C-alpha cells in the first residue's frame, strides 16, 4: 500500500490549489472572453457565477476528496450506498479522468507556445533571426518540440509527489507569478492609451448582461478557471489535513483565482488599447475586439515590439508568466490520472507519471497532426460540455446520494461549529437544487436552445 501524500501546511495547500486554478484560463481565457463579450458586463457576470455556482461545486469536490482520501473514481465509489450509484460513480470518475487527460493534451500545446515565445524574446535580442522566426511561426516541428519540453517538465514535478513536487513548486512559482503580473499592470497603465482600456474593462454595458451567449461563456469560464468537474480539486482535497476548515480554504482559492483573472484583465485589456494607440489593429472587420490566439500572439507581441528595447524585457516577463501559470495548472491535471494509477492499479508514482505523461503526449501529437480538425473540437467538448455536466453529477452526489450525516461530519472536522454555521444552512440545499438547475438551464440554452 502506498502512503498517501498530504500538503504540509495550510498555505502550501492554498498555493497549490490556487496554482491549479490559476492558469491559461485566467491570463488568456478570461481577458479574451472579456474582449469578445462586451467588457465589464462579462466581468460582473463571471464574478457572480464564480461565487454563486462554482464555489459551491468546488466545496463538493474538496469535501468528497478529503472524506474519501482517494482519486475521483475511488472517492465516488466510496460514497455510493448502492450498486447502481457505485456504477454511476465509476462512470463519472472515469469520465472526469478522460476529460482532464484531453484538457491537458491541448493545454500542453498552448503552454509549449508560451515557452517558445519566451525564448523568442531572448533570441531576438541576440540577433538569431532565423531561429526567432521558427519560434514564432506556426509549424508542426515547433509545436511538437515545445509541447514535449513542457510535458517533461510537468511529469518531472508530478514524479516527486505531493509535498516535494506539487506543493514545493506551486509555492515557488505562484508568488513569482503574482509579482510579474502586478509589475506588468503598473507598467502598462502608465502608457498612452491605457485609460481607454480601463474604461472598457470596468464600466459594464448592462444591456449585455442577460445575453444567453454571455451567460454560457461566463459559466464555462468559471468552471474551467476553478478546475472543476475533472477531479483535480477533488484529489487536492484528498491531500488536505483533517484539521483544516474546508469552506475557508475553498473560499481562499476561489478568491485568489478570480482575483488573478481580474488582474490579468487589468493587464491585457489596457494593453490592447495601448497597442491601438501605437498603431496596432485591435478590432476585427466586424468591429469586435480581437480575441483568442490572435490577441495573445499577435496584438500583445506587436505591443511589446512597439515599445523599443524595454519591450523585449516586458515580453519575456509576460510569456514567462504564462508558462508558469500553465505549469502549476498542468501539474494538477496530470495528478488526476497519476493518483488513479497509483491508488487503483498499484503502480509506483514515478512509473505512473511517466507512463500517463507519455500517453498524454501521444494524444497531444494526434491533435497537433490534425490541428484544424481537432484543436477547437477537443476544447469545446471538454470545457463547454463535459466540465459542466460532470459538475452537475457531482452536485447530484453531494446533494442526493451521499449521506448528509457523513457530509456534515467531514465538514465539521477543522470547524466544530459547522452545524450552526451559515454555510451549512445554505450550501447543502444549494448544491441539491440551485446548482443543478442552473447548470441544466444553461446547458439547455447553449446546446439545444441556440
Ligand atoms: N484552471 C485552469 C486554468 O484556468 C485549467 C484547469 C482545468 C486546470 C481543469 C485543472 C483542471 O487554466
Amino acid at each position: 500500500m502506498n502512503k498517501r501524500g498530504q500538503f504540509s501546511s495550510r498555505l502550501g495547500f492554498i498555493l497549490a490549489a490556487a496554482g491549479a486554478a490559476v492558469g491559461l484560463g485566467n491570463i488568456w481565457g478570461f481577458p479574451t472572453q472579456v474582449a469578445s463579450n462586451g467588457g465589464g458586463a462579462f466581468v460582473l457576470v463571471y464574478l457572480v457565477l464564480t461565487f454563486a455556482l462554482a464555489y459551491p461545486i468546488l466545496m463538493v469536490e474538496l469535501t468528497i476528496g478529503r472524506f474519501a482520501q482517494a482519486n475521483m473514481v475511488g472517492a465516488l465509489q466510496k460514497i455510493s450506498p448502492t450498486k447502481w450509484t457505485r456504477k454511476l460513480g465509476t462512470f463519472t470518475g472515469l469520465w472526469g479522468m478522460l476529460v482532464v487527460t484531453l484538457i491537458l493534451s491541448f493545454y500542453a500545446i498552448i503552454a509549449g507556445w508560451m515557452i517558445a515565445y519566451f525564448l523568442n524574446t531572448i533570441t531576438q535580442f541576440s540577433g538569431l533571426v532565423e531561429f526567432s522566426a521558427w519560434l514564432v511561426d506556426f509549424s508542426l516541428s515547433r509545436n511538437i518540440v515545445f509541447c514535449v519540453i513542457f510535458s517533461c517538465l510537468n511529469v518531472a514535478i508530478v514524479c516527486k509527489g505531493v509535498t516535494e513536487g506539487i506543493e514545493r513548486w506551486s509555492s515557488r512559482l505562484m508568488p513569482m507569478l503574482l509579482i510579474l503580473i502586478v509589475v506588468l499592470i503598473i507598467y502598462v497603465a502608465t502608457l498612452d492609451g491605457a485609460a481607454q482600456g480601463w474604461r472598457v474593462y470596468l464600466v459594464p454595458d448592462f444591456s449585455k448582461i442577460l445575453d444567453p451567449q454571455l451567460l454560457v461563456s461566463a459559466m464555462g469560464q468559471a468552471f474551467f478557471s476553478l478546475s472543476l468537474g475533472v477531479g483535480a480539486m477533488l484529489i487536492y482535497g484528498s491531500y488536505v489535513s483533517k484539521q483544516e476548515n474546508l469552506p475557508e480554504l475553498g473560499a481562499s482559492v476561489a478568491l485568489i483565482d478570480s482575483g488573478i483573472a481580474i488582474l490579468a484583465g487589468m493587464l491585457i485589456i489596457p494593453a490592447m488599447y495601448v497597442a491601438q494607440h501605437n498603431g496596432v489593429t485591435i478590432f476585427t472587420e466586424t468591429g469586435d475586439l480581437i480575441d483568442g490566439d490572435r490577441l495573445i500572439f499577435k496584438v500583445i507581441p506587436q505591443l511589446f515590439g512597439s515599445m523599443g528595447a524595454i519591450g523585449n524585457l516586458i515580453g519575456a516577463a509576460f510569456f514567462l508568466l504564462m508558462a508558469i501559470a500553465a505549469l502549476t495548472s498542468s501539474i494538477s491535471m496530470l495528478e488526476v490520472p497519476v493518483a488513479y494509477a497509483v491508488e487503483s492499479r498499484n503502480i509506483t508514482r514515478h512509473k505512473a507519471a511517466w507512463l500517463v505523461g507519455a500517453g498524454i503526449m501521444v494524444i497531444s501529437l494526434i491533435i497537433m497532426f490534425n490541428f484544424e480538425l481537432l484543436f477547437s473540437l477537443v476544447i469545446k467538448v471538454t470545457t463547454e460540455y463535459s466540465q459542466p455536466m460532470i459538475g452537475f453529477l457531482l452536485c447530484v452526489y453531494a446533494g442526493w446520494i451521499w449521506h448528509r450525516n457523513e457530509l456534515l461530519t467531514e465538514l465539521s472536522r477543522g470547524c466544530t461549529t459547522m452545524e450552526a454555521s451559515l454555510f451549512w444552512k445554505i450550501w447543502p440545499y444549494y448544491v441539491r437544487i440551485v446548482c443543478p438547475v442552473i447548470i441544466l438551464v444553461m446547458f439547455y440554452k447553449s446546446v439545444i436552445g441556440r
Side-chain angles (χ1 to χ4, degrees), residues 20-21 23-26 100 103 107 224-227 230 232 329 332-333 387:
L24 298 174
N26 302 58
V100 84
I103 292 182
Y107 207 84
F224 185 73
S225 193
L226 268 182
S227 314
V230 292
S329 293
S332 73
M333 295 187 217
Q387 279 191 285

Side-chain angles (χ1 to χ4, degrees), residues 216-229:
V216 171
S217 304
M219 177 174 81
Q221 178 63 27
F223 264 88
F224 185 73
S225 193
L226 268 182
S227 314
L228 299 178

Side-chain angles (χ1 to χ4, degrees), residues 39-190:
F42 184 86
V43 181
L44 199 67
V45 175
Y46 162 79
L47 281 180
V48 171
L49 284 178
T50 294
F51 288 93
L53 183 68
Y55 169 68
I57 300 179
L58 172 66
M59 288 313 303
V60 170
E61 287 209 25
L62 293 179
T63 316
I64 294 181
R66 190 175 69 172
F67 168 81
Q69 295 287 298
N71 62 83
M72 180 138 124
V73 179
L76 292 180
Q77 287 174 342
K78 194 163 173 179
I79 62 170
S80 296
T82 66
K83 199 172 115 213
W84 283 107
T85 48
R86 255 182 87 84
K87 283 214 166 103
L88 181 67
T90 312
F91 167 77
T92 311
L94 290 175
W95 185 12
M97 208 153 64
L98 176 69
V99 171
V100 84
T101 302
L102 290 174
I103 292 182
L104 182 51
S105 60
F106 77 72
Y107 207 84
I109 301 175
I110 307 177
W113 297 341
M114 300 301 167
I115 302 181
Y117 271 78
F118 168 69
L119 283 183
N120 171 51
T121 57
I122 300 170
T123 52
Q124 233 177 16
F125 192 68
S126 337
L128 299 169
V129 183
E130 266 173 46
F131 190 50
S132 275
W134 178 72
L135 288 173
V136 296
D137 285 341
F138 190 93
S139 71
L140 191 59
S141 61
R142 191 268 322 247
N143 290 353
I144 294 178
V145 168
F146 287 98
C147 176
V148 170
I149 293 178
F150 180 83
S151 305
C152 289
L153 271 177
N154 192 15
V155 171
I157 295 179
V158 171
C159 263
K160 298 228 169 268
V162 180
T163 21
E164 293 293 304
I166 300 175
E167 181 176 338
R168 169 173 301 172
W169 279 95
S170 302
S171 309
R172 280 181 189 163
L173 296 175
M174 284 302 288
M176 223 164 112
L177 181 133
L178 191 64
I179 294 170
L180 278 177
I181 209 166
V182 171
V183 170
L184 285 174
I185 292 174
I186 296 174
Y187 179 72
V188 169
T190 61

Side-chain angles (χ1 to χ4, degrees), residues 55-56 59 245 247 404 408 411 415-431:
Y55 169 68
M59 288 313 303
N245 179 330
R404 253 174 89 89
L408 177 60
L411 281 167
C415 174
T416 43
T417 53
M418 178 53 70
E419 199 170 358
S421 70
L422 190 62
F423 182 83
W424 184 252
K425 288 200 177 78
I426 301 173
W427 180 76
Y429 301 99
Y430 204 82
V431 168

